Amino acid sequence: MSHKRIPKRKAAIAAGGVAALGAAAILLPNANASQDGAPDASAAPRTLKSADASDLAAQLSNLLGDAFAGSYYDAGKQQLVVNVVPGDDNNVIIQAKKAGAAVREVDNSIAELKEGAQTLKREATIPGTAWAVDPRTNKILVTADSTVTGAKWNRLESTVRGLGSGMATLKKSAGTFKTFVSGGDAIFGGGARCSLGFNVTASDGSPAFLTAGHCGVAAQQWSDSQNGQPIATVDQAVFPGNGDFALVKYDDPNTQAPSEVNVGGGQTVQIAQAADATVGQQVFRMGSTTGLHDGQVLGLDATVNYPEGTVTGLIQTDVCAEPGDSGGSLFTQDGLAVGLTSGGSGDCTSGGETFFQPVTTALQATGATLGAGGAQAGGGQEQGAGQEQGAGQEQGAGQEQGAGQEQGAGQEQGGEQAGGGDAGAGAGDQAGAGDGSDTGDGMGAGGHAGAGGAEEGDSGLTETH
């Protein structure tokens, strides 16, 4: 029997409160809408959409070379701001302005910021810590959760201080960094349930989807109903280490897996391509626990030290999320796939930090394509997912902590924190939010959060049983 992962479009936006409704008000009028024409090339600085700003940032990164010190999107002015370390060559500023960017001279180069991140990696890889480059301050933003106290806090504070007063800032988070694993109506496997991120086409042409890697290590096979027959099998999974992503192939090669995100209320956002995130960019996250929420990108190349191990190359945001939202889609108003929900701290009442796996690096690593031939917007230079943070080496962090063994791929811990997985369901299933605290993580391409959880849909999140 063929599994057609077509959205049922019956449920309303799940319990996400006023914030979710606010996000919907911004997003829904633009669902399935075509983009405006290209910005006026003669404007300097140009007025840009965030997607165009991402493209320009990638171009300027190549053009300016060592003088390029990061960039961010000023949503209020709709401009790309480019940091430049000019040195003795004023020509780089002229080049950046001619390209349409607003130019800001800064002190810290990308190389210096990378070196600072490497120092943090060597001296302060402590569970409950994270760091990412913040181009708006031209510094490394270092965050410690509530578990970092005593000698661990002193060690982190001393390391940050040793970088120099103009290199990094340190802040404390009230929550605890964890993968967002918990319930939702969705797909089930290995005692866990998860949520789909985006439907893709695998390198061999078969239909598949991307989800969080800590879902992919929870179980090999996934069903769209509890104790049901498997409909998809994990092909590749990375967690912890150089990312948090998994490629899961549908078992039926005739599965119809549309490239879209169902945001509730019968509305879908067509996903045509993947894009690199830009700091300052407005993004939307859909999850079956908390529904639709929006926020901004705060940092790139984030390193997060989860209890299960270190993950590098992530996107840091102020979009809220809760257990059950893992694996879900992070996307833009104009339909660009940006990320897969990984983890973080806080909730959608008090706020917090949430980290996402970049879709572009997941596609590159798995060889999958998305949307119209898997086209990607942006060059990925700024994220440098593993290069800047030494992702390959940090993967060892997971091994040292026995990430795979301790997690038991979801069997020993049942997927609760050890990557008990939010591997997503099929495109277009509904994730019921009615399980209360056990609602699923899911959203997914075409999946949307169910208001009452009465219906059991295809896209869901991970939870233990």
Side-chain angles (χ1 to χ4, degrees):
M1 174 177 176
S2 172
H3 293 281
K4 296 184 178 181
R5 324 301 298 173
I6 302 297
K8 298 175 185 176
R9 300 187 178 89
K10 294 180 182 177
I13 297 173
V18 175
L21 294 176
I26 298 171
L27 177 64
L28 295 184
N30 295 277
N32 292 327
S34 60
Q35 296 188 29
D36 297 332
D40 182 5
S42 65
R46 294 180 185 175
T47 298
L48 300 168
K49 293 182 178 181
S50 61
D52 297 323
S54 178
D55 290 341
L56 180 57
Q59 295 167 16
L60 287 175
S61 175
N62 290 327
L63 177 67
L64 302 180
D66 293 340
F68 180 80
S71 64
Y72 63 94
Y73 183 63
D74 185 331
K77 295 181 178 179
Q78 292 185 300
Q79 295 175 353
L80 177 71
V81 181
V82 174
N83 294 333
V84 173
V85 182
D88 297 327
D89 184 7
N90 191 52
N91 186 52
V92 295
I93 296 178
I94 297 174
Q95 288 178 307
K97 288 183 175 179
K98 287 178 65 176
V103 178
R104 185 178 70 155
E105 295 187 40
V106 296
D107 295 326
N108 297 322
S109 68
I110 286 291
E112 290 169 330
L113 293 170
K114 286 181 181 180
E115 184 178 352
Q118 288 297 317
T119 299
L120 287 164
K121 173 191 166 185
R122 290 192 304 270
E123 301 180 13
T125 298
I126 301 167
T129 61
W131 51 82
V133 173
D134 180 4
R136 288 172 294 190
T137 62
N138 189 228
K139 296 179 181 180
I140 303 168
L141 174 61
V142 183
T143 307
D145 72 12
S146 59
T147 67
V148 182
T149 59
K152 291 188 290 186
W153 171 261
N154 293 338
R155 174 181 160 196
L156 179 63
E157 189 176 40
S158 175
T159 303
V160 170
R161 190 184 306 115
L163 296 177
S165 59
M167 184 61 66
T169 57
L170 175 61
K171 74 169 188 174
K172 192 84 170 182
S173 173
T176 301
F177 290 153
K178 58 185 179 296
T179 52
F180 285 131
V181 178
S182 192
D185 294 342
I187 61 169
F188 300 81
R193 56 181 178 185
C194 283
S195 152
L196 178 146
F198 297 97
N199 280 315
V200 297
T201 301
S203 60
D204 62 359
S206 61
F209 60 83
L210 292 175
T211 189
H214 61 271
C215 298
V217 300
Q220 272 295 109
Q221 293 185 308
W222 292 88
S223 171
D224 57 0
S225 62
Q226 192 169 6
N227 301 319
Q229 290 298 310
I231 64 165
T233 303
V234 175
D235 182 71
Q236 302 175 47
V238 174
F239 177 83
N242 188 16
D244 184 2
F245 60 89
L247 176 69
V248 186
K249 292 183 178 180
Y250 293 111
D251 295 335
D252 186 342
N254 295 317
T255 296
Q256 297 180 22
S259 185
E260 61 185 27
V261 173
N262 191 327
V263 294
Q267 299 288 328
T268 62
V269 174
Q270 296 297 317
I271 302 297
Q273 58 186 358
D276 292 325
T278 301
V279 170
Q281 178 181 39
Q282 183 184 36
V283 285
F284 294 83
R285 177 196 58 74
M286 189 68 186
S288 65
T289 297
T290 56
L292 181 67
H293 286 270
D294 70 313
Q296 284 193 354
V297 175
L298 300 181
L300 305 177
D301 301 312
T303 293
V304 184
N305 297 299
Y306 291 124
E308 301 84 21
T310 298
V311 179
T312 62
L314 302 183
I315 302 165
Q316 184 170 353
T317 77
D318 63 3
V319 184
C320 72
E322 296 181 8
D325 288 329
S326 284
S329 312
L330 185 73
F331 57 99
T332 67
Q333 185 174 10
D334 44 4
L336 299 176
V338 175
L340 309 166
T341 307
S342 174
S345 68
D347 54 40
C348 288
T349 300
S350 60
E353 301 84 16
T354 303
F355 300 90
F356 295 84
Q357 164 66 46
V359 171
T360 52
T361 54
L363 291 173
Q364 183 179 18
T366 61
T369 55
L370 182 152
Q376 297 183 19
Q381 291 84 350
E382 284 193 53
Q383 297 211 46
Q387 296 139 359
E388 291 192 22
Q389 303 282 357
Q393 295 83 359
E394 288 201 31
Q395 195 155 4
Q399 296 160 353
E400 289 176 11
Q401 298 186 30
Q405 295 81 0
E406 291 182 24
Q407 291 175 41
Q411 288 88 1
E412 291 186 24
Q413 298 191 21
E416 289 182 1
Q417 286 201 3
D422 311 304
D429 306 326
Q430 298 173 343
D435 285 337
S437 62
D438 290 331
T439 54
D441 346 67
M443 69 128 314
H448 60 83
E455 298 178 340
E456 188 165 299
D458 305 311
S459 92
L461 283 106
T462 292
E463 163 185 290
T464 58
H465 299 283

